[in-house]
């Protein structure tokens, strides 16, 4: 990941962390092209239709500003099983055994391609989140169509 994309990632992660501390759970995408544009959607985790709608709108805006890089991030709960990671929307309910709250992210840079990663976090007894550093996956990842940012990627490159 180059320095510009890393800076964009840290900006998005910081924005999302502030929202999580405030008990909000939006999806955030930062697009860079002719200018920087940050889009936030508070309904993203509500249902698949809301998620698809936001990513489709983000793709339209990315084309408008001729985006050359972007970072998409959303808070999720991960459940890791052998050879697969499942995710679900975050909620105010306690985590079940084997679950981990995480900011799940996807980045794209036209010169370097796509990267995936996460920012795991835990909560203190009072509910305050404590965030780890962003991690980038070093192994091959096959994202499901429901992976945050996947629809945005598909929308931008459907005619390529």
């Amino acid at each position: 990941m180059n320095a510009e994309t890393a800076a964009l990632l840290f900006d998005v992660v910081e924005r999302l962390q502030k929202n999580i501390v405030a008990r909000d759970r939006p999806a955030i995408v930062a697009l860079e092209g002719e200018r920087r544009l940050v889009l936030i959607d508070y309904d993203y985790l509500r249902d698949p239709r809301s998620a698809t709608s936001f990513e489709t709108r983000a793709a339209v805006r990315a084309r408008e500003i001729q985006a050359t890089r972007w970072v998409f991030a959303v808070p999720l709960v991960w459940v890791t099983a052998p050879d697969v990671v499942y995710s679900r929307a975050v909620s105010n309910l306690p985590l079940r055994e084997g679950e981990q709250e995480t900011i799940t992210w996807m980045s794209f840079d036209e010169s370097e391609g796509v990267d995936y990663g996460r920012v795991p976090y835990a909560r203190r007894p009072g509910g305050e989140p404590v965030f780890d550093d962003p991690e980038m996956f070093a192994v091959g990842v096959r994202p499901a169509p429901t992976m945050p940012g996947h629809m945005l990627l598909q929308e931008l490159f459907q005619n390529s």
Side-chain angles (χ1 to χ4, degrees):
M1 177 179 294
N2 63 36
E4 293 87 1
T5 305
L8 193 61
L9 171 63
F10 285 111
D11 177 50
V12 169
V13 165
E14 182 179 312
R15 289 171 188 263
L16 196 46
Q17 288 173 342
K18 288 178 182 176
N19 275 275
I20 291 168
V21 168
R23 300 206 182 273
D24 287 329
R25 301 173 199 86
I28 299 177
V29 61
L31 310 163
E32 277 191 353
E34 295 172 340
R35 61 188 169 99
R36 180 180 283 189
L37 181 62
V38 177
L39 305 172
I40 299 174
D41 187 275
Y42 291 90
D43 293 329
Y44 185 87
L45 293 173
R46 187 179 65 204
D47 56 48
R49 176 183 276 168
S50 298
T52 298
S53 176
F54 179 61
E55 292 196 36
T56 301
R57 288 191 317 271
V60 168
R61 300 306 300 267
R63 282 189 211 96
E64 287 174 1
I65 66 166
Q66 299 179 16
T68 57
R69 77 177 49 85
W70 50 263
V71 173
F72 192 100
V74 64
L76 292 172
V77 173
W78 282 22
V79 180
T80 305
D83 299 325
V84 68
V85 174
Y86 298 97
S87 65
R88 67 171 176 83
V90 293
S91 70
N92 292 327
L93 300 173
L95 294 175
R96 292 173 250 164
E97 188 171 331
E99 293 185 330
Q100 167 74 58
E101 286 183 293
T102 184
I103 294 171
T104 303
W105 59 266
M106 175 192 289
S107 69
F108 170 79
D109 182 286
E110 71 178 4
S111 65
E112 295 191 0
V114 178
D115 287 310
Y116 303 93
R118 69 182 191 144
V119 180
Y121 62 99
R123 294 189 183 269
R124 292 190 169 123
E128 179 184 349
V130 178
F131 300 95
D132 285 343
D133 292 327
E135 302 172 356
M136 185 176 1
F137 301 134
V139 297
V141 174
R142 288 185 323 177
T146 56
M147 167 76 176
H150 189 266
M151 177 63 67
L152 170 60
L153 190 64
Q154 298 302 311
E155 286 283 323
L156 289 174
F157 296 102
Q158 64 186 349
N159 296 323
S160 297

